[in-house]
Amino acid sequence: MERNPGHLTLRRRFRAFWLKVHLFIALAAGFVFVVLGLTGSVNVFFRELEELGLPTQTHHESHVQPHSLDEIMQTLTAAHPQRKGQWILVLPGYGKTYLWAIYPNPEETMDEFYAPLRVLVDVYSGEILKESFWGQTLSTLIYEIHASFLLGKLGSKPGKLGFDIVCFSGLLLLLSALSGLYLWWPRWSKMKTAITFKRRASPERFYFDLHKVTGFYAATVLVTLAFTGFSFSYDDYLKPLIRCFSPIGAEHLKDPELKSESAAGGRRISIADAVAIADSVFPGAELRGVQTPDGPDGVYVIEKRQSGEANRLRPRTKIWIDQYTGKVLAVQDPNQFTAGETFLNLMWPLHSGEAIGLPGRIAWCVIGFTPLILYVSGIVRWLQKRKAARRSGAGFKKRLERTMG
């Protein structure tokens, strides 16, 4: 059967177009992808890296009970009496025994986009082991590069701009990955050759194989990272599309603005009481965090994790409780999310690898190095082709001169 010449020409033009798109994105944003990939690999194990070098835990005997959250809060208040606002207590995770206490808005860093005070507490001894402001340790500095290219250090507006730029680069990475897959896609008869290295190949063929094989095996995760990263700042552009398939609440995943009832001389209930109330709402769910009231009219926010939740460290099961009366003001239950809300709720655990547990985090950490491999191999291959084209052009010119001479 003869092929349609017009169809072949259209296909070649279409392929040439996407080849130019792929090349343009690589030259314009490839180095950005490398930076985000490498910093992202570090961020996967961010909490473990923050806890390196800390004293070895020696309080695991069965008769030694951890300090209560109220006792830990008293320790924090005594160490930082000037900090009257909200504290966020993040319970130990990933098998560690350390509790992170976060003060979101310290005066020392109020001009920055995001720079809370972070205090590390031994839950068994109740001692403060370490404290620092966000961005003043190596791990948080790397995280800040990944999140906003350090523009958050210049203020809220530059930080938001940096965050938006990082998220928008996810769209570029998505286009790069999908266009690369299209350019790579072989006939089924040649699939085995397309996903393996050729033995005893020339340097040109080696870099070509390195680029295509790495891209193929990393494509699924890179597309996932690109899409989820884009969604963090631009989910408003995705929601109309998602609503075509499933409803999404107007205030989806946004904390409600609630206040405790004013009580003259009222006494705040303890953290233990607030947790007990939350336990009655979600019995059996794992306690993951507590947000203390932010001022006289603030509320307790109790974070719990139900079985099967993809968010492991900071889950979405939440209970808002009046700090004086103990009344449950609002509840967020991921099991009641619509399909569209569940999809959006998966963005963070998919981006961090949490959704697949430790194997997923390890895989995501490894995949973070693939943009570097793709960038270097792609640039080398592009330079090789340019060099070959110049040689071909020079040879043609000499042959033409001999013919005309």
Side-chain angles (χ1 to χ4, degrees):
M1 180 181 294
E2 294 183 1
R3 295 185 178 181
N4 187 335
H7 176 73
L8 289 176
T9 301
L10 180 61
R11 185 177 178 180
R12 290 192 186 99
R13 288 180 179 178
F14 191 67
R15 181 180 176 81
F17 168 76
W18 283 111
L19 183 60
K20 290 180 180 179
V21 170
H22 191 73
L23 177 61
F24 175 79
I25 294 176
L27 294 176
F31 185 72
V32 173
F33 299 157
V34 172
V35 173
L36 294 179
L38 295 178
T39 54
S41 290
V42 175
N43 292 346
V44 168
F45 292 99
F46 157 76
R47 189 168 291 271
E48 287 85 346
L49 291 173
E50 282 283 274
E51 295 177 356
L52 283 178
L54 292 176
T56 302
Q57 299 298 290
T58 57
H59 308 287
H60 297 300
E61 295 85 355
S62 59
H63 66 277
V64 178
Q65 295 297 318
H67 282 231
S68 70
L69 295 180
D70 286 296
E71 291 172 329
I72 290 175
M73 195 65 234
Q74 291 174 5
T75 300
L76 293 170
T77 302
H80 298 275
Q82 76 280 18
R83 307 193 192 279
K84 304 295 184 181
Q86 180 189 67
W87 283 86
I88 302 172
L89 308 180
V90 182
L91 271 67
Y94 301 135
K96 295 294 183 179
T97 57
Y98 303 117
L99 178 145
W100 284 93
I102 301 170
Y103 190 76
N105 300 302
E107 293 183 0
E108 294 90 335
T109 57
M110 62 183 303
D111 293 332
E112 298 183 24
F113 179 57
Y114 178 77
L117 172 68
R118 302 153 60 251
V119 182
L120 193 63
V121 182
D122 182 336
V123 296
Y124 289 95
S125 69
E127 297 177 355
I128 292 176
L129 301 179
K130 175 183 177 181
E131 58 181 62
S132 62
F133 293 101
W134 181 272
Q136 295 184 2
T137 64
L138 179 59
S139 296
T140 56
L141 194 64
I142 292 174
Y143 207 111
E144 189 77 4
I145 294 173
H146 187 82
S148 67
F149 295 131
L150 293 180
L151 292 180
K153 293 296 181 184
L154 303 180
S156 295
K157 289 185 178 180
K160 181 61 169 61
L161 176 62
F163 181 70
D164 289 343
I165 293 173
V166 168
C167 293
F168 185 78
S169 68
L171 179 60
L172 296 179
L173 178 58
L174 183 64
L175 288 174
S176 179
L178 293 178
S179 61
L181 276 176
Y182 168 75
L183 295 169
W184 161 86
W185 202 271
R187 296 178 181 177
W188 289 111
S189 60
K190 297 183 178 180
M191 181 61 72
K192 183 177 180 180
T193 303
I195 60 175
T196 56
F197 285 86
K198 183 179 180 180
R199 294 184 179 181
R200 296 185 293 274
S202 65
E204 290 79 8
R205 180 57 189 255
F206 169 77
Y207 282 106
F208 174 73
D209 285 350
L210 179 62
H211 192 79
K212 67 182 179 67
V213 172
T214 301
F216 168 74
Y217 287 108
T220 301
V221 177
L222 288 179
V223 167
T224 301
L225 292 172
F227 181 81
T228 54
F230 175 77
S231 73
F232 294 151
S233 188
Y234 300 98
D235 60 336
D236 287 341
Y237 293 93
L238 300 175
K239 288 178 181 178
L241 178 61
I242 298 173
R243 286 194 179 101
C244 295
F245 304 94
S246 173
I248 300 175
E251 296 299 319
H252 170 69
L253 296 183
K254 292 183 179 179
D255 290 350
E257 296 183 2
L258 301 171
K259 294 183 178 181
S260 293
E261 297 178 4
S262 58
R267 182 178 179 183
R268 176 186 293 182
I269 64 174
S270 67
I271 297 177
D273 290 337
V275 170
I277 294 169
D279 287 342
S280 67
V281 180
F282 292 103
E286 177 190 6
L287 179 64
R288 292 300 313 130
V290 173
Q291 298 179 31
T292 65
D294 190 8
D297 59 354
V299 301
Y300 278 109
V301 184
I302 309 300
E303 299 178 358
K304 305 197 77 179
R305 180 176 183 268
Q306 300 182 75
S307 177
E309 277 196 68
N311 289 280
R312 297 170 184 267
L313 197 61
R314 300 294 300 275
R316 289 294 185 180
T317 300
K318 294 183 180 182
I319 308 94
W320 286 263
I321 300 173
D322 188 299
Q323 66 169 303
Y324 303 113
T325 66
K327 178 182 177 181
V328 175
L329 303 177
V331 171
Q332 184 179 81
D333 184 358
N335 291 330
Q336 302 301 317
F337 286 174
T338 66
E341 291 168 347
T342 299
F343 177 75
L344 288 175
N345 188 37
L346 284 172
M347 293 299 100
W348 171 250
L350 282 175
H351 193 78
S352 66
E354 282 187 35
I356 317 176
L358 181 59
R361 298 173 70 209
I362 294 174
W364 265 229
C365 180
V366 173
I367 293 296
F369 289 87
T370 59
L372 174 62
I373 298 173
L374 292 170
Y375 182 65
V376 173
S377 61
I379 291 295
V380 170
R381 186 71 189 112
W382 175 63
L383 293 174
Q384 288 173 342
K385 292 176 70 175
R386 283 172 58 89
K387 185 177 180 180
R390 285 197 299 268
R391 287 178 178 176
S392 177
F396 174 78
K397 184 178 179 181
K398 289 180 179 180
R399 289 195 299 271
L400 182 61
E401 289 175 350
R402 286 197 298 267
T403 301
M404 298 300 292

